[in-house]
Amino acid sequence: MTQQEIVHRVDPDRVAWRVAGDEVVVLDTGNSVYFGLASSGALLWQRLVAGATSTELVSTLVDATAVDRERARADVAAFLDDLRGHGLLLQRT
């Protein structure tokens, strides 16, 4: 039996965001704090808008960059932890 993965998704009630060139600019509307996400962060953010599992995010990062899977896994975990810490993600199984 396999464990169903958690789907992470940007909380649309908590953020406003826009693509600005190669970056994504995010406004935490609850705390009036701006975040700028470049390259990999911008790529992952756009996947999180529709919802994605950690495994899907790792594959996205590996496919789009020259990073190996272990490093991508660590980077995705850190990115998700940071977004969760700011209360910007919803999670469901």
Side-chain angles (χ1 to χ4, degrees):
M1 174 180 228
T2 61
Q3 180 181 1
Q4 186 174 11
E5 276 196 88
I6 294 172
V7 175
H8 309 276
R9 188 168 67 86
V10 170
D11 184 347
D13 295 330
R14 181 70 189 259
V15 299
W17 67 278
R18 295 285 180 265
V19 174
D22 293 338
E23 297 183 353
V24 170
V25 178
V26 178
L27 170 63
D28 174 348
T29 58
N31 294 317
S32 298
V33 176
Y34 281 96
F35 300 90
L37 303 173
S39 60
S40 297
L43 177 68
L44 296 176
W45 179 268
Q46 292 178 73
R47 288 293 314 267
L48 288 169
V49 170
T53 66
S54 294
T55 300
E56 291 167 337
L57 294 172
V58 168
S59 292
T60 296
L61 200 53
V62 168
D63 292 345
T65 66
V67 68
D68 65 74
R69 190 162 294 280
E70 288 305 311
R71 174 62 190 256
R73 194 173 287 122
D75 289 350
V76 165
F79 185 66
L80 292 174
D81 285 345
D82 194 32
L83 294 177
R84 271 193 301 273
H86 289 286
L88 304 181
L89 291 181
L90 301 172
Q91 298 177 35
R92 66 178 164 78
T93 54

